[in-house]
Amino acid sequence: MVPHKRLIDHHIELREFAAEALYRTALVAEKLESTVRHGGQERRRAELLRESAQRLLDDQFTLSIVGEFSRGKSTLINALLGHEDLLPTAIEPATAAITVLSRGETANATIIYEDGTREENVSPADLPKYVLGRDLDGRDLQSRVTQKVARFRRAGKVEDLTAADVEDEVKQHLEETKPGREIALVELTYPSEFLADGIRLVDTPGLGSVNPRHGEATRNFISQSDAVLFLINTDPVISASECNFLAFLQDYVEQFLFVVTKIDRYTKEERERSLGYTRDTIAEYAGITMPKVFPVSARLALDGQVPDDSSKFERSGFPEFLLALDEFLVDGRGQRIMREYVGTARLHARELRKAVEVELQGIDLSLDELRQRSAHAREQFATAREARKRVLGRLDYEIEHGDDLVMGPTQTIRFRITSAIRDDLHAQLAECDWDELQQAPQIIPIFVSEIIGEKLQDHLDRTADHLGKLHESLSEECCRVIQDLDANLGFEFQQPCEFLHEELHLLPNPERFRASLGRITTDTIGSTLAVALADGFQFGGIGALVMVGGGMLARTALGGTFRERARDQIKQAVEAPLRDLVDKILLNVKEAVVGGLTAYRAAMDETLDRAIGELEESVSRLERETQSTEFNTTDRREELKRELGSLDDIEELLSQARSSSA
Ligand SMILES: Nc1nc2c(ncn2[C@@H]2O[C@H](COP(=O)(O)OP(=O)(O)OP(=O)(O)O)[C@@H](O)[C@H]2O)c(=O)[nH]1
Ligand SMILES: [Mg+2]
């Protein structure tokens, strides 16, 4: 299936404008590095710009397909690539490993294990061996236990069945299904036009299946995604746990497209009701206004790819979906190009312009005038460097006191939060029925995260506010230093330094920082509790029964005993990590604050150093040039004017890039 041509052309146009601007800026930098100059500063700039252009042209974009188990993720990818059996699919929870698909001449898989070893040249036909989880939904265990209960029942001895009998089955099952070497990732190449232009499609293990490690694998991969396709079904409609997962995703990814699959199974009326409900729920719970939700049938799309059956393809919803998907991809990629590449080209072009302007004005001066000017400029540079020291000194102070800022009231906070969670958790567990207990590994981290989030909110808000104010005042000061330098240097510049505000704006800002503090909390809770629950509860033997037993055990006399034991097990699994959880969160927040401040300091330092250093270097070069006997003022002036013209062209290209991205 080929992506829509016009939109792809449009994306390529933007990318080419940006790449050309980067290459041309590199050329200007190189030309300015004339024979009389030393230091190789501009040559290094040119290298940097070329590398950046190369990266842009290799431009990869990762689109992850996520959703709960069995929603049809793998089938949807197969339909997008037009190959029915490429990725294994199944009625029960299937995919257990992250599979990254990219374009290649042949279909070929590489298996990468957690220990770093690789298995190359695996045939896609063998993928089920690697990608499918064994007994992922506990079906084997369930049937094993069911058979045992049935045997007792047939013999009329169901009353004699003890918990120990059932536990034996669990132990034996766990022993037989012990996981082998864990797969970290499967890389699969496939010759498809859909994967042209650096698109990588990622099939992820479904969430909400009984093995929390699979949800973890998906959660951990999300930060590497540029955009997400979120799969939901017509029936069941979107659930609370899907909404929670969506909220988690929103911390990492800005671009979402929602797909409701398997529409072939329902009538038009059912579909429309389900779609309406899904849209409203997403809008209400995830705060995404007018979410784009596309109803499709991957099954019909696959069947409709057989020649002479285009009506199925028409009915699959794929024609509209593919159009929207193109638009979505172009939009997402375009935003990234604007952010990462157009901005870089613009910054360097402006710096070069300043350097050219200083030189052009300088070579027209008499030697005496020039000496006076550069003596004056040197004083200004010294003043600017003093101001830079002051700005950095303030940041050093904050970094040194990062501990107080974040860790101050740790003890009280820890006590308050842990007891609140414990009380609430016990009360909640007492109310849980079998079905709810089965969902504990998914629900508990969300529940704990909500309580901790609520209790820590004030504390995190204060920290974020403080950092926000600091950022604001330091950015202002930084801009002032450079503005003062520009204004007092004795040379005139065509463009004021308003862009500096934009550049500094990219550094940690209060809102983004507030969001990232929230994310640290969710991440810490997610990983700490998921692992604790997985080890202590899921694989701890008896707990697994809760996963499988559901209705069947509830109907036997054992039901009550197991429910109680399962509750205790959940309490134990959660309580131990709770004690350290708050400390861990605060420590992670502190690391993020200090890390953020340190990165901010480095960026501030670099900005100021560059702004001062570039001009200083221009003035020094000017002196060297005018003193050099071989220097030809007329030629150089012509050369500089030409480069100024090139810089005008680059600005023009960049504004074309901006308008083509709009
Ligand atoms: N009728 C119909 N069935 C579908 C469609 N898409 C998927 N299915 C079926 O739904 C089941 C689950 O599909 P998968 O593609 O394995 O689902 P998944 O989301 O990858 O599941 P996990 O890997 O377990 O997370 C399979 O039996 C598919 O054949 C569809 O559009 N229509
Ligand atoms: Mg799958």
Side-chain angles (χ1 to χ4, degrees), residues 73-74 88 94-95 203-204:
K73 298 178 290 296
S74 307
T95 310
D203 189 20
T204 61

Side-chain angles (χ1 to χ4, degrees), residues 205-506:
L207 271 96
S209 115
V210 292
N211 190 335
R213 286 189 198 276
H214 295 283
E216 274 305 286
T218 300
R219 282 197 176 84
N220 291 339
F221 189 82
I222 287 305
S223 60
Q224 296 177 46
S225 313
D226 294 305
V228 153
L229 280 191
F230 195 96
L231 259 66
I232 311 160
N233 278 176
T234 311
D235 177 18
V237 287
I238 188 164
S239 66
S241 60
E242 282 171 312
C243 288
N244 282 318
F245 180 48
L246 189 53
F248 165 83
L249 289 175
Q250 281 177 300
D251 281 344
Y252 293 90
V253 186
E254 281 169 17
Q255 306 261 324
F256 291 93
L257 199 66
F258 298 94
V259 180
V260 169
T261 47
K262 308 190 192 176
I263 57 166
D264 54 294
R265 290 186 178 166
Y266 302 91
T267 63
K268 193 161 179 271
E269 201 210 342
E270 286 169 328
R271 256 161 35 201
E272 269 159 24
R273 288 188 67 150
S274 165
L275 266 180
Y277 178 82
T278 300
R279 284 199 183 101
D280 291 350
T281 310
I282 294 173
E284 186 177 340
Y285 287 94
I288 301 176
T289 37
M290 314 256 280
K292 288 185 188 151
V293 186
F294 290 87
V296 301
S297 161
R299 171 86 351 257
L300 281 177
L302 277 164
D303 292 349
Q305 283 171 29
V306 182
D308 303 332
D309 208 352
S310 62
S311 78
K312 277 193 181 156
F313 189 71
E314 296 296 319
R315 278 186 288 129
S316 70
F318 256 60
E320 299 81 5
F321 168 56
L322 286 179
L323 267 180
L325 186 55
D326 280 339
E327 208 171 314
F328 174 72
L329 288 174
V330 169
D331 198 38
R333 306 184 81 175
Q335 282 182 23
R336 207 180 65 183
I337 293 179
M338 290 304 293
R339 214 170 41 233
E340 285 177 24
Y341 299 98
V342 172
T344 307
R346 193 157 156 243
L347 184 75
H348 285 278
R350 298 222 179 179
E351 278 179 5
L352 286 169
R353 182 182 287 278
K354 258 197 201 175
V356 173
E357 283 169 352
V358 166
E359 210 177 323
L360 259 180
Q361 287 165 42
I363 53 177
D364 282 337
L365 298 175
S366 73
L367 215 60
D368 265 359
E369 272 175 313
L370 181 66
R371 278 202 190 109
Q372 269 178 22
R373 272 269 187 121
S374 44
H376 173 72
R378 298 220 177 280
E379 279 168 30
Q380 298 302 316
F381 291 133
T383 314
R385 291 216 175 268
E386 277 305 311
R388 165 174 168 263
K389 242 193 233 162
R390 275 201 309 277
V391 174
L392 296 179
R394 271 184 68 188
L395 270 167
D396 286 337
Y397 176 87
E398 294 288 337
I399 292 170
E400 209 173 300
H401 293 81
D403 253 22
D404 299 346
L405 183 65
V406 182
M407 301 296 272
T410 308
Q411 287 308 323
T412 13
I413 292 183
R414 182 172 75 166
F415 182 74
R416 244 192 7 243
I417 297 181
T418 351
S419 47
I421 297 174
R422 196 178 304 123
D423 294 349
D424 282 10
L425 188 68
H426 290 188
Q428 288 248 342
L429 282 174
E431 311 253 300
C432 279
D433 60 20
W434 270 117
D435 285 345
E436 287 160 341
L437 281 181
Q438 285 189 69
Q439 304 216 358
Q442 272 79 45
I443 305 293
I444 288 175
I446 296 163
F447 166 76
V448 172
S449 162
E450 266 168 17
I451 301 186
I452 294 189
E454 211 176 89
K455 301 268 187 276
L456 276 183
Q457 198 58 51
D458 277 359
H459 183 63
L460 295 182
D461 274 353
R462 266 197 310 278
T463 311
D465 276 347
H466 174 78
L467 292 170
K469 285 196 191 110
L470 184 72
H471 163 76
E472 217 169 274
S473 97
L474 286 178
S475 302
E476 295 255 310
E477 204 168 328
C478 179
C479 289
R480 208 165 32 242
V481 173
I482 296 169
Q483 259 157 2
D484 286 353
L485 179 64
D486 280 5
N488 298 323
L489 202 64
F491 293 91
E492 271 169 36
F493 300 108
Q494 265 182 21
Q495 287 165 345
C497 70
E498 99 281 357
F499 72 95
L500 199 69
H501 274 287
E502 286 169 39
E503 195 200 351
L504 289 172
H505 190 71
L506 294 176

Side-chain angles (χ1 to χ4, degrees), residues 24 47 170 300 302 592:
R24 285 211 207 167
E47 272 164 28
V170 177
L300 281 177
L302 277 164

Side-chain angles (χ1 to χ4, degrees), residues 48-196:
L48 217 89
L49 285 162
R50 287 215 173 86
E51 278 166 22
S52 178
Q54 198 49 52
R55 246 197 336 273
L56 170 60
L57 294 177
D58 296 337
D59 184 26
Q60 285 201 330
F61 192 84
T62 305
L63 176 66
S64 295
I65 321 295
V66 304
E68 296 220 331
F69 64 93
S70 296
R71 294 304 187 258
K73 298 178 290 296
S74 307
T75 313
L76 184 78
I77 294 181
N78 288 345
L80 286 170
L81 302 182
H83 184 314
E84 175 130 30
D85 305 315
L86 185 64
L87 295 175
T89 65
I91 191 88
E92 69 269 18
T95 310
I98 300 276
T99 310
V100 180
L101 291 105
S102 60
R103 196 183 190 192
E105 306 238 309
T106 54
N108 189 359
T110 303
I111 315 295
I112 301 162
Y113 291 94
E114 291 284 3
D115 62 12
T117 52
R118 300 161 74 90
E119 216 172 310
E120 315 256 353
N121 295 322
V122 172
S123 155
D126 291 333
L127 275 181
K129 224 168 71 192
Y130 300 94
V131 166
L132 294 184
R134 265 179 308 165
D135 188 27
L136 202 58
D137 63 347
R139 262 159 209 268
D140 292 352
L141 178 54
Q142 183 165 19
S143 87
R144 206 174 173 139
V145 176
T146 315
Q147 279 167 24
K148 181 147 207 166
V149 177
R151 274 201 304 278
F152 273 74
R153 194 166 277 144
R154 271 199 305 276
K157 289 188 188 163
V158 74
E159 296 304 315
D160 298 342
L161 185 68
T162 65
D165 291 323
V166 186
E167 272 175 59
D168 280 348
E169 291 298 324
V170 177
K171 276 191 198 128
Q172 224 168 331
H173 174 81
L174 289 172
E175 191 50 42
E176 284 167 20
T177 55
K178 240 191 225 155
R181 240 182 343 157
E182 296 276 350
I183 293 174
L185 196 80
V186 175
E187 285 175 353
L188 177 61
T189 59
Y190 190 70
S192 161
E193 272 303 299
F194 189 89
L195 300 168

